[in-house]
Amino acid sequence: MPKQRRLAAAITLVCALTAWAAPGTAFAAPAPNPTPTPSATASGAPPTLEEVGAQIDDLYRQAAVATDAYNLAEEQTKAQSEQIVKLAQEMVKGQEKIKRLKDQAGATARMQYRNGGLPPGAQLMLSGDPDGFLNGADLLRQGQQAAQGLLGELNRTQADLAAYSKDATAQWKNLEANRVKKEAAKKDITAKIAAAEKLQADLKEQERERLAELERKKEFDAQTAWLSTGVLKDISTSASEQGKKAVKFATDQIGKRYVWGAAGPDTFDCSGLTSQAWIAAGRGMPRTSQEQWAQLPHVAIKDMRPGDLIIYFADASHVGMYIGDGAIVHSPRPGRTVTITGAGTMPILGVVRPDK
């Protein structure tokens, strides 16, 4: 059987073992957060434009959190799929080894049959040749040791196969659980984005323009307040060589659309942009903003330099790359493109450095 077919058969075997090991197993999708809709205030008046804007922002923030969950499940799914393939390859190798060992054992049995079916010891006893008996006894001991070694190797290989099968079954269960998480996150993301887009579509043209003005003012006020603390006076403008490459990659993507779950080359979400920028600079890193915050070295804001990543919001659901002079490049949200904005326009959780 060609190796590709054997590998496919091994993967099929893993699937079958999983189904046999966990009959009736099901994974329940987590219930998505309820989608808020514009409603009247306590006084019965319709929501103000500011309140509608806050609802839209909240929906996009919830979509960003779900996007991180989706991206993490996607990364875990890829890793588990690769592990299952490796295990299947080891199972194929083990099956081939067992066949080889059994062939050797069969050859020994056939040789004994050709010698009349007598055990080697009995054949020596009947030989009538003392010198031949002594030489044969030595060969017999060697043969017995070889047979014991063959049996031990066969048992070890069979035990390895059982372990590979058990590990593959566990990996398959995790893979299926993460697929369910991905689908739940995908539904949550699309629902939140659709609700936000509907809120925007229901506004009149003048209201949309006014909402955009309010958003710009909010960002300007936040950036001004951040700068007024004197935060920039201690910040270095010197990037590392890898940091310079990461900044160049990120800024080269300006104008490309935000798409949730995307990591280039034509569209990006926030962490897709930062992770690909650092990969292009020669540094592997976590895919999601939450994992970037959890796994990468933290640095103080006063010590940050271009190329460092600024993590935003208490749940680490957004990330941008610091490029110097109090600015970041980031992929903001659905309907927007990769752009440059003030680093203080959103609540900063902290700063991480991929090349520390």
Coordinates of all heavy atoms in Angstrom, one line a residue, residues 190-222:
T190 N -20.6 37.8 13.5 CA -21.4 38.3 12.4 C -22.7 38.9 12.9 O -23.2 39.9 12.4 CB -21.8 37.1 11.5 OG1 -22.4 36.0 12.2 CG2 -20.6 36.6 10.7
A191 N -23.2 38.4 14.1 CA -24.4 39.0 14.6 C -24.2 40.4 15.2 O -24.9 41.4 14.9 CB -25.0 38.2 15.8
K192 N -23.0 40.6 15.8 CA -22.7 41.9 16.4 C -22.4 42.9 15.3 O -22.8 44.1 15.4 CB -21.5 41.8 17.3 CG -21.7 40.9 18.6 CD -22.8 41.5 19.4 CE -22.9 40.7 20.8 NZ -23.4 39.4 20.6
I193 N -21.7 42.5 14.3 CA -21.3 43.4 13.2 C -22.6 43.8 12.4 O -22.8 45.0 12.1 CB -20.3 42.8 12.2 CG1 -19.0 42.6 13.0 CG2 -20.1 43.6 11.0 CD1 -17.9 41.9 12.2
A194 N -23.5 42.8 12.2 CA -24.7 43.1 11.5 C -25.6 44.1 12.3 O -26.2 45.0 11.7 CB -25.5 41.8 11.2
A195 N -25.6 43.9 13.6 CA -26.4 44.8 14.4 C -25.8 46.3 14.4 O -26.6 47.3 14.3 CB -26.5 44.3 15.9
A196 N -24.5 46.4 14.5 CA -23.9 47.7 14.4 C -24.1 48.3 13.1 O -24.4 49.5 13.0 CB -22.4 47.5 14.7
E197 N -24.0 47.6 12.0 CA -24.2 48.1 10.7 C -25.7 48.6 10.5 O -25.9 49.6 9.8 CB -23.8 47.1 9.6 CG -22.3 46.9 9.5 CD -21.9 45.8 8.6 OE1 -22.8 45.0 8.2 OE2 -20.7 45.7 8.2
K198 N -26.6 47.8 11.1 CA -28.0 48.2 11.0 C -28.3 49.5 11.7 O -29.0 50.4 11.2 CB -28.9 47.1 11.5 CG -30.4 47.4 11.4 CD -31.3 46.3 11.9 CE -32.8 46.6 11.5 NZ -33.2 47.9 12.0
L199 N -27.7 49.7 12.9 CA -27.8 50.9 13.6 C -27.3 52.1 12.8 O -27.9 53.2 12.7 CB -27.0 50.9 14.9 CG -27.6 50.1 16.1 CD1 -26.7 50.0 17.3 CD2 -29.0 50.6 16.5
Q200 N -26.2 51.9 12.1 CA -25.6 53.0 11.3 C -26.5 53.2 10.0 O -26.7 54.4 9.7 CB -24.2 52.6 10.8 CG -23.2 52.6 12.0 CD -21.8 52.1 11.5 OE1 -21.7 50.9 11.1 NE2 -20.8 52.9 11.7
A201 N -27.0 52.1 9.5 CA -27.8 52.3 8.2 C -29.1 53.0 8.5 O -29.7 53.7 7.7 CB -28.1 50.9 7.6
D202 N -29.6 52.8 9.8 CA -30.9 53.5 10.1 C -30.8 55.0 10.4 O -31.8 55.7 10.5 CB -31.5 52.8 11.4 CG -32.0 51.4 11.1 OD1 -32.2 51.1 9.9 OD2 -32.2 50.6 12.0
L203 N -29.5 55.4 10.5 CA -29.3 56.9 10.7 C -29.5 57.6 9.4 O -29.2 57.1 8.3 CB -27.9 57.1 11.2 CG -27.6 56.6 12.6 CD1 -26.1 56.8 13.0 CD2 -28.5 57.2 13.7
K204 N -29.9 58.8 9.4 CA -29.9 59.7 8.3 C -28.5 60.1 7.9 O -27.6 60.1 8.8 CB -30.8 60.9 8.5 CG -32.3 60.6 8.8 CD -33.1 61.8 9.1 CE -34.5 61.4 9.4 NZ -35.3 62.6 9.8
E205 N -28.3 60.6 6.7 CA -27.0 61.0 6.3 C -26.4 62.1 7.2 O -25.2 62.0 7.6 CB -27.0 61.5 4.8 CG -25.7 61.9 4.2 CD -24.7 60.8 4.1 OE1 -25.2 59.6 3.9 OE2 -23.5 61.0 4.2
Q206 N -27.2 63.0 7.6 CA -26.7 64.1 8.5 C -26.3 63.5 9.8 O -25.3 63.9 10.4 CB -27.7 65.2 8.6 CG -27.9 66.1 7.4 CD -28.9 67.2 7.6 OE1 -29.8 67.1 8.5 NE2 -28.7 68.3 6.9
E207 N -27.1 62.5 10.3 CA -26.8 61.9 11.6 C -25.5 61.1 11.5 O -24.7 61.1 12.5 CB -27.9 61.0 12.0 CG -29.2 61.8 12.4 CD -30.3 60.8 12.6 OE1 -30.5 59.8 11.9 OE2 -31.1 61.1 13.6
R208 N -25.2 60.4 10.4 CA -24.0 59.7 10.2 C -22.8 60.6 10.2 O -21.7 60.3 10.8 CB -24.0 58.8 9.0 CG -24.9 57.6 9.1 CD -24.6 56.6 8.0 NE -25.1 57.1 6.7 CZ -26.3 56.8 6.2 NH1 -27.2 56.2 7.0 NH2 -26.7 57.3 5.0
E209 N -22.9 61.8 9.5 CA -21.8 62.7 9.5 C -21.6 63.3 10.9 O -20.4 63.5 11.3 CB -22.2 63.9 8.5 CG -22.2 63.4 7.1 CD -22.6 64.5 6.1 OE1 -23.0 65.6 6.6 OE2 -22.7 64.3 4.9
R210 N -22.7 63.6 11.6 CA -22.5 64.1 12.9 C -21.9 63.1 13.9 O -21.0 63.4 14.7 CB -23.9 64.5 13.5 CG -23.9 65.0 14.9 CD -23.1 66.2 15.2 NE -23.1 66.6 16.6 CZ -22.1 67.3 17.2 NH1 -21.0 67.6 16.5 NH2 -22.2 67.6 18.4
L211 N -22.3 61.8 13.7 CA -21.7 60.8 14.5 C -20.2 60.6 14.3 O -19.4 60.4 15.2 CB -22.4 59.4 14.2 CG -22.1 58.3 15.1 CD1 -22.5 58.6 16.6 CD2 -22.8 57.0 14.6
A212 N -19.8 60.8 13.0 CA -18.4 60.7 12.7 C -17.6 61.9 13.3 O -16.5 61.7 13.8 CB -18.2 60.8 11.1
E213 N -18.3 63.1 13.3 CA -17.6 64.2 14.0 C -17.5 64.0 15.5 O -16.4 64.3 16.1 CB -18.5 65.5 13.8 CG -18.5 66.0 12.3 CD -19.4 67.2 12.2 OE1 -19.9 67.7 13.2 OE2 -19.6 67.6 11.0
L214 N -18.5 63.4 16.1 CA -18.4 63.1 17.5 C -17.3 62.1 17.8 O -16.6 62.2 18.8 CB -19.8 62.5 18.0 CG -21.0 63.5 18.1 CD1 -22.3 62.8 18.4 CD2 -20.7 64.6 19.1
E215 N -17.2 61.1 17.0 CA -16.1 60.1 17.1 C -14.7 60.8 17.0 O -13.8 60.5 17.9 CB -16.2 59.0 16.1 CG -15.2 57.9 16.3 CD -15.4 56.8 15.3 OE1 -16.4 56.7 14.7 OE2 -14.4 56.0 15.1
R216 N -14.5 61.6 16.0 CA -13.3 62.3 15.9 C -13.0 63.2 17.1 O -11.8 63.3 17.6 CB -13.3 63.2 14.6 CG -13.1 62.3 13.3 CD -12.9 63.2 12.1 NE -14.0 64.1 11.8 CZ -15.0 63.7 10.9 NH1 -15.0 62.5 10.4 NH2 -15.9 64.6 10.7
K217 N -14.0 63.9 17.6 CA -13.8 64.8 18.8 C -13.4 63.9 20.0 O -12.5 64.3 20.8 CB -15.0 65.6 19.1 CG -14.9 66.6 20.2 CD -16.1 67.4 20.4 CE -15.9 68.4 21.5 NZ -15.4 67.9 22.8
K218 N -14.1 62.8 20.2 CA -13.8 61.9 21.3 C -12.4 61.5 21.2 O -11.7 61.4 22.3 CB -14.8 60.7 21.3 CG -14.6 59.8 22.4 CD -15.6 58.6 22.3 CE -15.3 57.6 23.4 NZ -16.2 56.4 23.2
E219 N -11.9 61.0 20.1 CA -10.5 60.6 19.9 C -9.5 61.7 20.2 O -8.5 61.5 20.8 CB -10.3 60.0 18.5 CG -11.0 58.7 18.3 CD -10.8 58.1 16.9 OE1 -10.2 58.8 16.1 OE2 -11.2 57.0 16.7
F220 N -9.9 62.9 19.6 CA -9.0 64.1 19.8 C -8.9 64.4 21.3 O -7.8 64.7 21.8 CB -9.5 65.3 19.0 CG -8.7 66.5 19.2 CD1 -7.6 66.8 18.5 CD2 -9.2 67.5 20.1 CE1 -6.8 67.9 18.7 CE2 -8.4 68.7 20.4 CZ -7.3 68.9 19.6
D221 N -10.0 64.5 22.0 CA -10.0 64.8 23.4 C -9.2 63.8 24.2 O -8.4 64.1 25.1 CB -11.4 64.9 23.9 CG -12.2 66.1 23.4 OD1 -11.5 67.0 22.9 OD2 -13.4 66.1 23.6
A222 N -9.3 62.5 23.9 CA -8.6 61.4 24.6 C -7.1 61.5 24.3 O -6.3 61.4 25.3 CB -9.1 60.1 24.2

